[in-house]
Amino acid sequence: MSKKEALIDATKQLLWEKGYEATSPRDIQALSATGQGSFYHHFDGKKDLAIAALEEISREMLDIMRDNLAAKGPAQQRLESYLCKPRESLKGCRVGRLANEISMQDPQLGQPMRAYFEELTELLKHAIREAQEDGSLPAHLDAGDLATTLLAVVQGGFVLSRAQDRTDIHQSIARSMINLLFGGEAR
Amino acid sequence: MSKKEALIDATKQLLWEKGYEATSPRDIQALSATGQGSFYHHFDGKKDLAIAALEEISREMLDIMRDNLAAKGPAQQRLESYLCKPRESLKGCRVGRLANEISMQDPQLGQPMRAYFEELTELLKHAIREAQEDGSLPAHLDAGDLATTLLAVVQGGFVLSRAQDRTDIHQSIARSMINLLFGGEAR
DNA sequence: GTCTATATTATGATAGAC
DNA sequence: GTCTATCATAATATAGAC
């Protein structure tokens, strides 16, 4: 692995663990066994490297999500599996975790994050429409609103997991949402 | 206003605007027109001051939430008003915004945050139970799970608002959840 | 209680050798 | 491309005068 890749990998890891502000160039160099030279040879600085790392993170996550949400099989099942997907709740979402530090502050850094959530919204919206077409979801629900809501409920799950130091939050949420969407008893 | 109060007020503001990591003692001193002396006379350091500020923030927010969620009137209306409450979406939740920086890293700092979300969950749970008793919500829904879900959807709304730089997220979510909970057409 | 001056360490980046 | 040495600035905290 080249030093450049090592730098990006270390940054991906540290952005997840500590966030953007709390990650210093020195942290990254230490974790990647790299000197100052490599850092500033390959990247303009911390922000530039963070952008490269965030773009890779976003791509990796979207690949996983596409595999699930745009797969074959019943749309209801894909949506349920999105809600029930195993998550490292206490570590936070690799992308959403950075929303408060990054997005507004710097448009360049924010771009990969906006792109990630936009595409994920579209994936969810399509699955929701399919579920509405095959009758597993009521047709009167607005697919865009619901896609945003599913995204939000998972992102909020990460926030609450960390805020309360609990590992059962995403499970509660998944149960609740599946119940509301696909009916529990009286539906 | 005493210098001590001025320091806490400035910290409350900066924690909201910039978060914990990005707020320095000097920022706080500048905003509160205060010298080093007052800062370290009244508080042990940045963390100590942040705890005091976060406790006040939590208290203020809970007072507002109690006024709404434990008020008189139909439970359904109170729950809908929780979802539709005007929010400064782009600024983030004053408490939840700090979940990724603070909670796990330091148990002392995390305590006011845990307390906030625990009490808010209880308030929501009670309102949900009332709604189930008066028949406006189905009885088979788990009140605890649903309370967590309502909290999550709002917290996630803040995350998405900032991540995508959009102001319409909370509205989408509120429409969607009210539809799911209290029925749109075919219920 | 409040101020200014100072100390210490970390941050983010540059310079120049190899 | 990679390394070590160095730098300017900011973060966090202390000391001591008033």
Side-chain angles (χ1 to χ4, degrees):
Chain A
M1 180 169 53
S2 74
K3 291 286 183 183
K4 183 173 179 178
E5 291 173 276
L7 283 162
I8 293 181
D9 278 359
T11 306
K12 281 157 63 178
Q13 189 178 323
L14 289 169
L15 283 180
W16 195 7
E17 281 171 17
K18 317 180 37 167
Y20 180 74
E21 292 284 351
T23 294
S24 74
R26 291 169 106 104
D27 292 335
I28 296 167
Q29 287 155 34
L31 183 62
S32 60
T34 292
Q36 298 279 80
S38 300
F39 191 103
Y40 290 100
H41 174 75
H42 293 294
F43 302 97
D44 288 346
K46 173 180 167 175
K47 190 177 101 178
D48 186 42
L49 174 49
I51 291 172
L54 196 47
E55 279 168 351
E56 278 202 11
I57 292 170
S58 168
R59 237 178 292 129
E60 288 169 16
M61 300 277 286
L62 281 174
D63 284 345
I64 297 173
M65 295 303 182
R66 257 190 301 268
D67 282 351
N68 283 292
L69 285 170
K72 291 177 183 270
Q76 170 173 348
Q77 192 179 302
R78 282 177 273 145
L79 288 168
E80 289 188 7
S81 110
Y82 169 75
L83 286 168
C84 295
K85 182 187 302 298
R87 294 185 165 88
E88 303 203 56
S89 305
L90 293 181
K91 295 188 72 177
C93 169
R94 290 214 276 165
V95 181
R97 184 216 192 297
L98 301 164
N100 286 301
E101 298 186 87
I102 274 185
S103 59
M104 327 256 51
Q105 157 197 311
D106 189 298
Q108 280 192 287
L109 261 170
Q111 202 278 331
M113 190 155 66
R114 272 192 300 281
Y116 172 76
F117 284 115
E118 264 160 42
E119 180 160 350
L120 193 42
T121 304
E122 284 306 309
L123 286 168
L124 283 164
K125 192 154 63 174
H126 286 317
I128 289 166
R129 290 225 175 92
E130 288 181 60
Q132 289 180 310
E133 279 160 22
D134 73 20
S136 46
L137 271 183
H140 72 274
L141 294 172
D142 182 280
D145 285 351
L146 185 52
T148 298
T149 301
L150 291 183
L151 251 181
V153 91
V154 168
Q155 288 298 316
F158 281 114
V159 171
L160 294 180
S161 299
R162 284 185 68 91
Q164 300 192 280
D165 196 11
R166 288 174 52 181
T167 56
D168 60 332
I169 298 279
H170 275 122
Q171 289 158 41
S172 280
I173 289 171
R175 273 197 303 271
S176 195
M177 286 304 290
I178 289 173
N179 233 315
L180 288 172
L181 290 170
F182 303 112
E185 283 149 74
R187 195 84 60 79
Chain B
M1 180 168 53
S2 76
K3 292 286 182 183
K4 183 172 181 179
E5 290 175 276
L7 282 163
I8 293 181
D9 278 359
T11 305
K12 284 158 61 179
Q13 189 178 323
L14 290 169
L15 283 180
W16 196 7
E17 281 171 17
K18 316 182 36 166
Y20 180 73
E21 293 284 352
T23 294
S24 73
R26 290 169 105 106
D27 292 335
I28 297 168
Q29 286 155 36
L31 184 61
S32 60
T34 290
Q36 298 279 81
S38 300
F39 191 103
Y40 290 100
H41 174 75
H42 293 294
F43 302 98
D44 288 345
K46 173 179 165 174
K47 191 177 102 178
D48 186 42
L49 174 49
I51 292 171
L54 196 47
E55 280 169 349
E56 278 201 11
I57 291 170
S58 169
R59 235 177 293 129
E60 288 169 14
M61 300 277 287
L62 282 174
D63 283 345
I64 296 172
M65 294 304 183
R66 257 190 301 269
D67 282 351
N68 282 290
L69 285 170
K72 292 178 183 264
Q76 170 174 348
Q77 190 180 303
R78 281 177 274 145
L79 288 169
E80 290 190 5
S81 109
Y82 169 75
L83 286 167
C84 295
K85 183 187 300 297
R87 293 182 165 90
E88 303 202 55
S89 305
L90 293 181
K91 295 188 72 176
C93 168
R94 288 214 275 166
V95 181
R97 185 216 191 294
L98 302 164
N100 285 302
E101 297 186 88
I102 274 185
S103 59
M104 327 256 51
Q105 157 198 312
D106 190 297
Q108 280 192 289
L109 260 171
Q111 202 277 334
M113 192 156 64
R114 273 193 299 282
Y116 172 76
F117 284 115
E118 266 159 42
E119 180 159 351
L120 192 44
T121 305
E122 285 306 309
L123 285 169
L124 282 165
K125 192 152 65 173
H126 286 317
I128 289 165
R129 291 226 174 91
E130 289 181 59
Q132 290 179 312
E133 280 161 22
D134 73 20
S136 45
L137 272 183
H140 73 274
L141 295 171
D142 182 280
D145 284 351
L146 186 52
T148 298
T149 301
L150 291 183
L151 252 180
V153 92
V154 168
Q155 288 298 316
F158 280 115
V159 172
L160 294 180
S161 298
R162 282 184 71 90
Q164 303 193 278
D165 195 12
R166 287 173 52 181
T167 55
D168 59 332
I169 298 279
H170 275 122
Q171 289 158 42
S172 280
I173 290 171
R175 273 197 304 270
S176 196
M177 287 303 291
I178 289 173
N179 234 314
L180 288 171
L181 290 169
F182 303 111
E185 284 149 71
R187 197 85 60 79

